Amino acid sequence: MKWLLLSVASLSFAAPWQHQQPLVADALDKPYVGQKVVRFPCPSSIGCDRNLLERIHNSQGFVSVLSVGSRHVDVQVDATLAQEFTGSRASSVVVDNVQELVDVEMARLQESQVRFADMSDTERFAPENWFSDYHKYDEIVAWYKNLAAKHPDLVTFIPSIGKTALKKDIIAVKVTSPVNKATKAQFWFHTGDHAREWVGPSTVQFLVHSVLQDHESNPTLLDGAELIIVPLMNVDGYEYSWSGNRLWRKNRRVVKKDIFGSVGVDLNRNWPAHWGEGGSSTQPFSDVYMGPSAGSEPEVKALINFFKNDNHTRLVGAIDLHSFSQLVLRPYGWTEDPAPDEKLLKKAGDDIRDAIKRTHGKKYVSEREIDLYAASGTASDWFYDEEVQEWLPDRRLYAYTIELRPSADEANGGQGFILPPREIVPTGQEIYEAVKGYIAFATKNPLLVKLAL
């Protein structure tokens, strides 16, 4: 999920995060004991006051900005800071006990896992059961394998495009029909960069399910496009978030054996696209730690190698799905200079926003990433930027980060990541409708680049 509004975008994360404590210590069974989510009102309708966020980020002890709504900022703080932050007359506590919030969710998940364990694969994979809750990594892999077995003419399952820091396989799938297979436009989707954003992988699962379900009656999409999908990038972090550390964000590579127990790199600050030029941290214990070098993380390397495959030279667009805040973000995140294709990027992004609203009435905001906050080393900027254009010199890609449900105004900080499973299907439905329009528009209006003679 993304954090800062334009009025505070000039703040560099590197310095403010220097005093932030690690999200958890691995030895703790209850990593969020004593932590609260505190809400501060924004004094201006255009964003939160720069001095307020400076004070928050520079506080001693664990501080994490979870979300910024239209008129407030939600901050997660540890027990040592609770008194300092709640002592402000302007602040209010919206989650009094983060650990209790996580405990309730983990107990619910345990009951759900018992229920699924009693089912056969046929029952478990039935849409009415599968999309009733979230699933662990091994279950997700089995689900995609089952889809490929059921639809061998439409789905190709790739068991590994590379390994994670802890040597887990990162899977991929390709979805298309045999029609015009060698010439049709290609579209990239990946999700699960951040471990706690569970609705991302579930939404991609629903997208694939819907495409296959509709193909017989409406073959237009798969006859005209190939979907290249990485369903879960941050496998290690995602599995770790199932162990009780539900709000973990980064991957699980041990970065530095210091007093903080610094573990993990923010995978969506590690891509080699203007890496380290704002909106990330050089501090290993930060949630937005950008890593020791551009593209240092095995997960990022695996996706780049797979992306730049000789069989992927017909790519037209790429989307990275996150949560939460209900946003459709387009390049750039590292500079206020407009992208060369700003007009068409805005048109396609606005169309995604409008298709989502038509489905269930949810209001997403379509904007440039830099107009929300500064962010560098992100996947969507890499999709659009120099390295990919050098590889595909005749075009640029329709590149987006989509932040899924809920909106920052609907959720109380960390509760936004713990999205109730009843939201899986409607979230998937609105994204499916948006993707259909996005593919049609981008295929018809590719971002062609005139080659120098």
Side-chain angles (χ1 to χ4, degrees):
M1 129 154 215
K2 314 301 183 182
W3 291 333
L4 298 182
L5 298 176
L6 177 60
S7 60
V8 295
S10 60
L11 284 175
S12 169
F13 277 114
W17 284 82
Q18 287 176 0
H19 301 295
Q20 183 192 341
Q21 298 296 312
L23 184 60
V24 300
D26 287 340
L28 297 177
D29 293 329
K30 300 282 189 180
Y32 306 107
V33 169
Q35 294 186 13
K36 301 177 184 294
V37 177
V38 181
R39 173 166 294 177
F40 291 88
C42 295
S44 167
S45 62
I46 64 171
C48 284
D49 178 75
R50 179 175 302 187
N51 293 329
L52 169 64
L53 287 166
E54 286 271 11
R55 185 172 71 86
I56 292 171
H57 283 305
N58 284 289
S59 298
Q60 298 287 341
F62 168 66
V63 180
S64 178
V65 177
L66 294 176
S67 64
V68 179
S70 60
R71 299 299 299 272
H72 70 264
V73 56
D74 285 350
V75 183
Q76 185 177 342
V77 299
D78 68 15
T80 62
L81 289 177
Q83 182 61 41
E84 175 187 343
F85 276 79
T86 58
S88 167
R89 290 184 179 181
S91 69
S92 60
V93 176
V94 292
V95 178
D96 186 61
N97 187 336
V98 175
Q99 186 62 54
E100 184 177 295
L101 182 72
V102 172
D103 287 344
V104 169
E105 174 65 0
M106 300 315 292
R108 187 197 68 75
L109 287 166
Q110 183 63 37
E111 293 179 2
S112 176
Q113 287 288 295
V114 170
R115 178 170 63 89
F116 279 111
D118 291 336
M119 297 180 185
S120 66
D121 283 350
T122 301
E123 292 174 309
R124 187 180 304 112
F125 295 150
E128 63 272 18
N129 290 324
W130 182 258
F131 294 111
S132 69
D133 216 327
Y134 302 100
H135 302 279
K136 292 184 176 179
Y137 163 70
D138 289 341
E139 297 165 350
I140 293 171
V141 172
W143 185 81
Y144 278 107
K145 285 183 176 179
N146 180 67
L147 276 190
K150 287 177 62 178
H151 304 278
D153 55 331
L154 300 176
V155 180
T156 300
F157 177 82
I158 302 170
S160 182
I161 63 168
K163 300 284 189 179
T164 66
L166 300 183
K167 307 304 179 186
K168 290 280 188 177
D169 288 314
I170 303 171
I171 66 168
V173 294
K174 295 185 178 183
V175 185
T176 194
S177 75
V179 177
N180 301 320
K181 199 164 187 177
T183 59
K184 66 181 68 175
Q186 296 172 313
F187 291 85
W188 171 280
F189 299 87
H190 85 258
T191 190
D193 314 49
H194 296 146
R196 61 194 179 189
E197 299 170 9
W198 288 10
V199 74
S202 291
T203 297
V204 170
Q205 292 158 34
F206 191 88
L207 170 64
V208 174
H209 159 75
S210 299
V211 167
L212 296 173
Q213 179 179 254
D214 291 352
H215 178 68
E216 185 173 347
S217 61
N218 184 14
T220 303
L221 193 153
L222 293 185
D223 285 354
E226 178 180 18
L227 312 187
I228 303 166
I229 299 168
V230 179
L232 180 56
M233 179 186 187
N234 185 4
V235 176
D236 299 340
Y238 183 79
E239 286 201 305
Y240 185 63
S241 70
W242 275 83
S243 70
N245 197 324
R246 179 61 183 83
L247 300 179
W248 184 260
R249 173 181 169 94
K250 302 184 289 183
N251 74 354
R252 291 295 300 162
R253 183 164 73 85
V254 175
V255 176
K256 188 176 181 182
K257 293 185 177 180
D258 56 15
I259 60 172
F260 299 115
S262 299
V263 174
V265 170
D266 182 343
L267 297 181
N268 204 38
R269 296 295 185 274
N270 188 244
W271 290 73
H274 296 272
W275 177 80
E277 294 186 24
S280 59
S281 173
T282 59
Q283 302 301 319
F285 49 77
S286 168
D287 255 8
V288 289
Y289 174 52
M290 63 188 185
S293 60
S296 62
E297 299 314 288
E299 296 88 351
V300 173
K301 290 178 180 177
L303 266 68
I304 288 175
N305 290 337
F306 182 57
F307 189 97
K308 295 171 66 176
N309 184 297
D310 288 344
N311 294 322
H312 298 166
T313 54
R314 301 186 311 279
L315 276 162
V316 175
I319 291 179
D320 181 17
L321 290 106
H322 288 255
S323 73
F324 63 100
S325 283
Q326 295 180 191
L327 303 169
V328 182
L329 303 175
R330 61 185 184 271
Y332 292 113
W334 62 275
T335 177
E336 293 194 28
D337 293 340
D341 307 291
E342 165 61 14
K343 184 176 180 179
L344 284 172
L345 287 169
K346 182 181 187 306
K347 166 65 175 168
D350 290 352
D351 286 352
I352 290 171
R353 173 201 64 196
D354 295 345
I356 289 171
K357 186 177 180 182
R358 286 194 300 269
T359 306
H360 292 299
K362 287 294 180 180
K363 296 180 180 180
Y364 280 53
V365 174
S366 170
E367 61 186 328
R368 297 189 310 157
E369 191 159 13
I370 191 65
D371 290 338
L372 184 71
Y373 55 82
S376 59
T378 65
S380 57
D381 272 357
W382 184 84
F383 295 149
Y384 186 78
D385 221 354
E386 291 99 335
E387 184 174 346
V388 172
Q389 196 182 347
E390 288 175 5
W391 176 61
L392 299 174
D394 65 334
R395 84 200 77 129
R396 285 182 284 265
L397 303 188
Y398 283 93
Y400 298 91
T401 298
I402 298 181
E403 296 280 356
L404 302 167
R405 294 187 183 193
S407 75
D409 290 331
E410 293 175 329
N412 290 334
Q415 288 179 316
F417 298 113
I418 306 178
L419 190 68
R422 65 177 179 273
E423 300 283 344
I424 292 172
V425 170
T427 304
Q429 289 170 335
E430 61 200 19
I431 294 302
Y432 175 48
E433 293 303 317
V435 163
K436 287 191 291 185
Y438 159 75
I439 288 175
F441 179 84
T443 301
K444 186 177 180 180
N445 302 279
L447 300 178
L448 299 179
V449 175
K450 291 182 179 179
L451 299 178
L453 297 178

